[in-house]
Coordinates of all heavy atoms in Angstrom, one line a residue:
N34 N 12.3 11.7 12.4 CA 11.5 11.0 11.4 C 10.3 10.3 12.0 O 9.9 9.3 11.7 CB 12.3 10.1 10.5 CG 13.2 10.9 9.7 OD1 13.0 11.9 9.2 ND2 14.4 10.3 9.6
S35 N 9.7 11.0 13.0 CA 8.7 10.4 13.9 C 7.7 11.4 14.3 O 7.9 12.7 14.3 CB 9.3 9.6 15.0 OG 9.8 10.5 16.0
I36 N 6.5 10.8 14.9 CA 5.5 11.7 15.4 C 5.3 11.3 16.9 O 5.2 10.1 17.2 CB 4.2 11.6 14.8 CG1 4.2 11.8 13.3 CG2 3.0 12.3 15.4 CD1 4.5 13.2 12.9
A37 N 5.6 12.2 17.8 CA 5.4 11.9 19.2 C 3.9 12.2 19.6 O 3.3 13.0 19.1 CB 6.3 12.8 20.1
D38 N 3.5 11.4 20.5 CA 2.2 11.5 21.2 C 2.4 12.0 22.6 O 2.9 11.3 23.5 CB 1.5 10.2 21.2 CG 0.0 10.3 21.6 OD1 -0.5 11.4 22.1 OD2 -0.7 9.2 21.4
V39 N 2.1 13.3 22.9 CA 2.4 13.9 24.1 C 1.1 13.7 25.0 O 0.0 14.2 24.7 CB 2.7 15.4 24.0 CG1 3.0 16.1 25.4 CG2 3.9 15.5 23.1
V40 N 1.2 13.0 26.2 CA 0.2 12.8 27.0 C 0.1 13.7 28.2 O -0.8 14.4 28.4 CB 0.3 11.3 27.6 CG1 -0.9 11.1 28.5 CG2 0.1 10.3 26.4
D41 N 1.2 13.9 28.9 CA 1.3 14.6 30.2 C 2.3 15.8 30.0 O 2.6 16.4 31.1 CB 1.6 13.8 31.3 CG 0.5 12.8 31.7 OD1 -0.7 13.1 31.6 OD2 0.8 11.6 32.0
G42 N 2.9 16.1 28.8 CA 3.9 17.1 28.8 C 5.2 16.6 29.2 O 5.4 15.4 29.4
G43 N 6.1 17.4 29.6 CA 7.5 17.0 30.1 C 8.3 16.7 28.9 O 8.2 16.9 27.8
D44 N 9.5 15.9 29.4 CA 10.4 15.4 28.4 C 10.0 14.1 27.7 O 9.7 13.2 28.5 CB 11.8 15.2 29.2 CG 13.0 14.8 28.3 OD1 12.7 14.6 27.1 OD2 14.0 14.7 28.8
V45 N 9.8 14.1 26.4 CA 9.3 13.0 25.8 C 10.5 12.2 25.1 O 10.2 11.3 24.4 CB 8.2 13.3 24.7 CG1 7.0 14.0 25.3 CG2 8.7 14.2 23.6
T46 N 11.7 12.6 25.4 CA 12.9 11.9 24.8 C 12.7 10.4 25.4 O 12.7 10.1 26.6 CB 14.1 12.5 25.3 OG1 14.2 13.8 24.9 CG2 15.3 11.8 24.7
G47 N 12.8 9.5 24.4 CA 12.9 8.1 24.9 C 11.5 7.5 25.0 O 11.4 6.2 25.3
Q48 N 10.5 8.3 24.8 CA 9.0 7.8 25.0 C 8.7 7.1 23.7 O 9.2 7.4 22.6 CB 8.1 9.0 25.3 CG 8.3 9.6 26.6 CD 8.0 8.6 27.8 OE1 7.0 7.9 27.7 NE2 8.9 8.5 28.7
P49 N 7.8 6.1 23.7 CA 7.3 5.5 22.5 C 6.7 6.6 21.5 O 6.2 7.7 21.9 CB 6.2 4.6 22.8 CG 6.4 4.3 24.4 CD 7.1 5.7 24.9
R50 N 6.8 6.4 20.1 CA 6.3 7.2 19.2 C 5.0 6.8 18.6 O 4.9 5.5 18.5 CB 7.4 7.6 18.1 CG 8.7 8.2 18.5 CD 8.3 9.6 19.0 NE 9.5 10.3 19.5 CZ 9.8 10.7 20.7 NH1 9.1 10.2 21.8 NH2 10.8 11.4 20.9
F51 N 4.1 7.7 18.3 CA 2.8 7.3 17.6 C 3.1 6.8 16.2 O 2.5 5.9 15.7 CB 1.9 8.6 17.6 CG 0.6 8.3 16.9 CD1 -0.4 7.6 17.6 CD2 0.4 8.7 15.7 CE1 -1.6 7.3 16.9 CE2 -0.8 8.5 15.0 CZ -1.8 7.9 15.8
A52 N 4.1 7.5 15.4 CA 4.4 7.0 14.1 C 5.8 7.2 13.9 O 6.5 8.2 14.4 CB 3.6 7.9 13.1
T53 N 6.5 6.2 13.2 CA 7.9 6.3 12.8 C 8.0 5.9 11.4 O 7.1 5.6 10.7 CB 8.7 5.2 13.7 OG1 8.1 3.9 13.3 CG2 8.5 5.5 15.1
G54 N 9.3 6.1 10.9 CA 9.6 5.7 9.5 C 9.1 6.8 8.5 O 9.0 6.5 7.3
L55 N 8.9 7.9 8.9 CA 8.6 9.1 8.0 C 9.8 9.7 7.5 O 10.9 9.6 8.0 CB 7.7 10.1 8.9 CG 6.5 9.5 9.3 CD1 5.7 10.3 10.3 CD2 5.4 9.1 8.2
S56 N 9.7 10.7 6.5 CA 10.8 11.4 5.9 C 10.7 12.8 6.2 O 10.2 13.6 5.5 CB 10.8 11.1 4.4 OG 11.9 11.8 3.7
N57 N 11.3 13.2 7.4 CA 11.4 14.6 7.8 C 9.9 15.2 7.9 O 9.6 16.1 7.2 CB 12.2 15.5 7.0 CG 13.6 15.0 6.8 OD1 14.1 14.7 5.7 ND2 14.4 15.0 7.9
P58 N 9.1 14.7 8.8 CA 7.8 15.3 9.0 C 7.8 16.6 9.4 O 8.6 16.9 10.3 CB 7.1 14.2 10.0 CG 8.2 13.8 10.7 CD 9.4 13.7 9.7
I59 N 7.0 17.5 8.7 CA 7.1 18.9 9.0 C 5.7 19.6 9.3 O 5.7 20.7 9.7 CB 7.7 19.6 7.9 CG1 8.2 21.0 8.1 CG2 6.9 19.6 6.6 CD1 9.2 21.6 7.2
G60 N 4.7 18.8 9.3 CA 3.3 19.3 9.7 C 2.3 18.3 9.6 O 2.5 17.3 8.8
L61 N 1.3 18.4 10.4 CA 0.1 17.5 10.3 C -1.1 18.2 10.7 O -1.1 19.2 11.2 CB 0.4 16.4 11.3 CG 1.0 16.6 12.7 CD1 0.0 16.0 13.7 CD2 2.3 16.2 12.7

Side-chain angles (χ1 to χ4, degrees):
N34 295 320
S35 64
I36 304 295
D38 189 352
V39 179
V40 178
D41 296 320
D44 185 352
V45 298
T46 304
Q48 295 295 316
R50 296 300 185 248
F51 179 75
T53 60
L55 300 164
S56 182
N57 303 118
I59 195 164
L61 48 126

